[in-house]
Amino acid sequence: MYKNLKGFLEALDRAGEINYISEPVSVRLEISRFTDRESKRPEGGKALFFKNVKESPFPVVTNIFGSTRRICMALGVDNLDSLGARIREFTELNPPKNFKEALNIIPLAINASNFFPRAFKGKSAPCQEIVLRGAEVDLSKLPVLWCWPGDAGPFVTLPLVFTKSLVTGRRNAGMYRLQIFDKNTTGMHWHIHKDGSHYYNEYCKAAKRMPVAVAIGADPAVTYAATAPMPRGIDEMILAGFIKKKPVRMVRCLTIDMEVPAEAEFILEGYVDPGEFRREGPFGDHTGYYSLADDYPVFHVTAVTHRKNPVYNATLVGRPPMEDCYLAKATERLFLPMLQTVMPEICDYWFPWEGVFHNIVIVAIDKEFPGHAQKIMSGLWGQGQMSFCKAIIIVDKNINPADPEMVLKELLTKFDITSDITITKGVLDVLDHSSPFTNFGNKIGIDLTERFSGEPPRSGDALYTKEPGIPNEPVEINNSRQLFQDSFKNNTIANRIIAFSVEKDEYRGGKHFADILLSATNLESFNILILFDNSIDLSDNSTLLWKLFNNVDPGRDLIFKGKRVVIDACKKLPVDGHAREWPEELIL
């Protein structure tokens, strides 16, 4: 494992996994263009090291986690299931009694191995070789990226934000973006569901100033740990120690009561005052859209410390695939064994990238009784960050949930619109823009498992055994494309899917076009009809899925008529019953 970021970069260099850019580049959009292009290359391209940054003396490195090989190198494993296997070994010896105990497995296991963080021993920690205090602080000297044209300013995109509970004193490390406001203040974008926000509320209730420290450029296990959904009160540095099989060395800050990783490249020390807010955003986010501007706490920087020759580590988030997809994939594999301890019927799961990791999950289960799929849906919607998931699809254990062709076959040959859908309401990720309400909305579960005795039978009279004719587009429909018509031609198809491009206006919304399509006699051989905006390329399946997963509120945007459904995956307007501002798509 790696002592620090530079140790990891040296390993990437030896492995041929990093490209060096010597030409002068700007932090304003230019580094983003390089990184976005590289992230979209096959297998995630290479990490990028920018030697000559126009606005700063410090070099920038991006995309260090952005491939299967690099994320495995970062975590010291041959494959991402290896860490989960270490967790599974412990759970089999010490089975937890409930989900809370399951989430505490990592610290319990580490306690036995003695991998808790330790105090740095030495005269001066590497992260404090250079110290700037008070008037010396100038955040403009850091090569902070202005990522997307519509961003409100430059943002620190890979910050490890360290806070402590005022009540318990327990430390948290989270990753919350920081918009640079001026030379010594930034925004503190912690969502209301995050531990940093929870601890902030404790300080607000006590009317006390909250100390906060930010590390930039830590060793890869420490950086990953800050992104992981650990239970509240469990120090993420314990997870980093578990991954490294070695304690993380921490050093006390110089101006606040907080400890930070001693081997980090940069440290920002400061505080957040209760009740002080400032407009933050918009920001080009991992959904592929701009997250909207809103009021967030203000982080006042009292000191900046760094190594003598530091490297600034940044990431670019946007429409998948991007670097953060691989970090999220590591979390998917690491936390599966913990989920299985309380839901042992779960065989595997998969978060498609087009669902940006909180819009859809496909779960394979070992079904044992009627209603088992619905039990799993309810259980997942009540557990930790799985509760944010908008759509859950359940398949049988013989189906690989990460194999799109297998899942698609189940959908086309088995799915019954009248009996396989569960609609409910619950908490949503703050970045979900499809719901009429912030942080709350409709969810959908789809049961594609085999029927058991005691469950309502699937309808069999909607089966199509012959190819449909090419439909003539009704008036007001701009274009159409039959989806998956070349798939499984030798199978009896229960569902015909067709996509349409339409142009909405203030009078014509999704229901208007749904009425037209459901009344068209030449479309009666199609039972799933999907609306997309006129600008969408209907031949790009990845884009269609991305729009479908991001733009649909299951309770409002599914228009049923008998055994048929129209799904509105377009941008929503007031005529659709959507009063919230709709975010713009990211374009460089």
Side-chain angles (χ1 to χ4, degrees):
M1 295 300 291
Y2 316 99
K3 186 177 181 180
N4 49 42
L5 173 63
K6 289 182 180 177
F8 181 49
L9 297 182
E10 290 169 0
L12 294 180
D13 183 72
R14 291 192 297 270
E17 284 290 328
I18 189 167
N19 288 339
Y20 297 91
I21 292 89
S22 299
E23 64 188 87
V25 293
S26 173
V27 297
R28 183 159 184 152
L29 302 180
E30 196 169 4
I31 290 178
S32 294
R33 290 194 180 99
F34 275 95
T35 303
D36 184 51
R37 184 167 58 247
E38 191 69 21
S39 298
K40 299 295 193 294
R41 293 188 189 279
E43 302 301 322
K46 304 291 185 182
L48 298 178
F49 191 101
F50 300 91
K51 294 182 177 181
N52 189 354
V53 180
K54 293 178 181 178
E55 297 88 350
S56 175
F58 306 118
V60 173
V61 66
T62 64
N63 205 34
I64 63 172
F65 299 104
S67 73
T68 299
R69 186 183 186 194
R70 290 198 297 281
I71 188 65
C72 287
M73 288 178 64
L75 303 182
V77 295
D78 293 327
N79 64 77
L80 292 178
D81 285 312
S82 298
L83 288 175
R86 288 173 58 194
I87 296 293
R88 184 173 284 107
E89 289 175 4
F90 187 82
T91 62
E92 290 174 351
L93 293 173
N94 302 273
K97 298 176 182 177
N98 52 51
F99 193 71
K100 182 177 180 180
E101 286 191 10
L103 288 174
N104 280 279
I105 284 169
I106 287 179
L108 289 173
I110 294 171
N111 188 37
S113 305
N114 201 26
F115 290 149
F116 277 91
R118 306 279 183 83
F120 174 80
K121 294 181 180 180
K123 292 183 179 180
S124 177
C127 69
Q128 295 174 343
E129 290 173 337
I130 305 297
V131 177
L132 304 169
R133 304 177 191 242
E136 296 177 304
V137 172
D138 187 355
L139 298 177
S140 68
K141 294 181 179 180
L142 302 183
V144 183
L145 304 190
W146 192 307
C147 299
W148 297 94
D151 284 357
F155 284 82
V156 181
T157 54
L158 209 58
L160 285 64
V161 179
F162 288 84
T163 58
K164 284 183 182 178
S165 169
L166 184 61
V167 176
T168 66
R170 293 184 176 181
R171 180 172 54 216
N172 174 259
M175 193 163 286
Y176 318 118
R177 73 184 190 226
L178 310 176
Q179 180 183 339
I180 304 297
F181 291 147
D182 52 44
K183 63 183 294 184
N184 59 3
T185 62
T186 79
M188 182 58 71
H189 187 95
W190 43 44
H191 294 168
I192 61 173
H193 306 112
K194 303 297 184 180
D195 290 351
S197 178
H198 177 79
Y199 291 165
Y200 170 70
N201 289 335
E202 293 178 352
Y203 283 86
C204 288
K205 290 176 182 177
K208 291 186 176 182
R209 174 171 286 179
M210 181 182 187
V212 179
V214 176
I216 303 171
D219 82 71
V222 170
T223 298
Y224 165 72
T227 73
M230 295 292 284
R232 182 176 299 156
I234 302 300
D235 189 350
E236 284 75 12
M237 296 304 96
I238 297 176
L239 174 59
F242 172 77
I243 294 170
K244 292 161 60 75
K245 300 182 181 179
K246 183 179 181 180
V248 178
R249 295 291 177 177
M250 308 290 285
V251 66
R252 186 181 176 86
C253 289
L254 302 178
T255 62
I256 60 170
D257 180 18
M258 192 71 63
E259 298 78 34
V260 290
E263 292 285 346
E265 301 293 304
F266 294 89
I267 300 293
L268 312 182
E269 302 179 11
Y271 62 87
V272 172
D273 275 332
E276 182 185 11
F277 293 90
R278 187 166 171 178
R279 182 59 42 141
E280 189 262 11
F283 170 73
D285 228 313
H286 74 275
T287 59
Y289 292 85
Y290 287 99
S291 56
L292 302 176
D294 205 347
D295 292 334
Y296 281 90
V298 178
F299 175 46
H300 297 263
V301 181
T302 55
V304 174
T305 70
H306 60 79
R307 304 173 75 100
K308 287 183 179 178
N309 295 293
V311 175
Y312 182 86
N313 189 193
T315 191
L316 179 73
V317 295
R319 180 186 166 182
M322 301 292 271
E323 180 179 14
D324 61 317
C325 291
Y326 296 92
L327 291 164
K329 186 66 176 180
T331 294
E332 174 195 295
R333 306 322 300 168
L334 176 62
F335 283 81
L336 174 60
M338 286 180 271
L339 193 60
Q340 289 171 323
T341 59
V342 290
M343 296 182 187
E345 57 267 75
I346 293 179
C347 302
D348 202 354
Y349 62 5
W350 179 53
F351 290 84
W353 282 353
E354 288 86 354
V356 299
F357 286 90
H358 53 75
N359 280 328
I360 186 169
V361 62
I362 303 169
V363 184
I365 67 168
D366 185 2
K367 186 172 179 178
E368 297 178 345
F369 49 81
H372 203 161
Q374 288 73 22
K375 170 184 177 292
I376 294 299
M377 294 173 195
S378 298
L380 292 176
W381 279 323
Q383 303 293 352
Q385 292 203 25
M386 292 294 290
S387 64
F388 298 134
C389 199
K390 183 165 62 175
I392 298 176
I393 296 176
I394 308 293
V395 296
D396 285 306
K397 65 180 180 180
N398 62 309
I399 304 300
N400 177 3
D403 185 334
E405 289 293 306
M406 292 186 75
V407 176
L408 176 61
K409 180 178 178 181
E410 295 297 287
L411 181 71
L412 293 179
T413 62
K414 188 179 293 181
F415 177 53
D416 179 10
I417 289 172
T418 63
S419 64
D420 289 338
I421 292 177
T422 297
I423 301 288
T424 187
K425 295 180 184 293
V427 63
L428 293 174
D429 192 279
V430 69
L431 297 180
D432 181 272
H433 59 259
S434 67
S435 173
F437 308 101
T438 305
N439 302 313
F440 178 79
N442 293 292
K443 298 170 178 283
I444 185 171
I446 297 177
D447 176 12
L448 297 182
T449 61
E450 291 292 340
R451 282 289 193 265
F452 273 31
S453 176
E455 294 182 312
R458 289 187 169 95
S459 173
D461 58 0
L463 299 180
Y464 302 104
T465 56
K466 62 180 181 179
E467 291 294 312
I470 299 176
N472 296 316
E473 284 82 15
V475 177
E476 301 184 69
I477 303 299
N478 297 320
N479 195 13
S480 68
R481 176 190 167 218
Q482 301 175 54
L483 302 185
F484 319 118
Q485 71 267 31
D486 295 327
S487 300
F488 320 115
K489 285 187 175 180
N490 296 324
N491 292 291
T492 300
I493 302 299
N495 298 282
R496 299 283 188 198
I497 307 175
I498 186 168
F500 296 93
S501 59
V502 300
E503 189 166 354
K504 292 183 175 181
D505 57 34
E506 60 181 318
Y507 303 109
R508 302 183 304 171
K511 289 184 172 57
H512 170 83
F513 291 105
D515 289 341
I516 293 174
L517 295 174
L518 291 172
S519 300
T521 57
N522 62 320
L523 295 176
E524 289 178 350
S525 60
F526 296 92
N527 63 330
I528 300 177
L529 306 91
I530 311 175
L531 305 178
F532 293 96
D533 288 304
N534 194 38
S535 60
I536 303 303
D537 180 3
L538 296 185
S539 67
D540 185 342
N541 285 342
S542 180
T543 294
L544 299 188
L545 290 174
W546 175 55
K547 291 292 183 180
L548 180 66
F549 297 151
N550 278 271
N551 287 358
V552 173
D553 175 86
R556 178 196 61 210
D557 300 331
L558 273 62
I559 300 102
F560 296 93
K561 183 177 182 181
K563 297 174 182 178
R564 304 172 72 207
V565 62
V566 173
I567 305 173
D568 181 3
C570 299
K571 176 180 179 178
K572 300 305 179 299
L573 303 172
V575 68
D576 296 306
H578 192 89
R580 292 174 62 197
E581 181 181 356
W582 193 269
E584 293 297 322
E585 187 176 331
L586 301 182
I587 299 175
L588 267 176

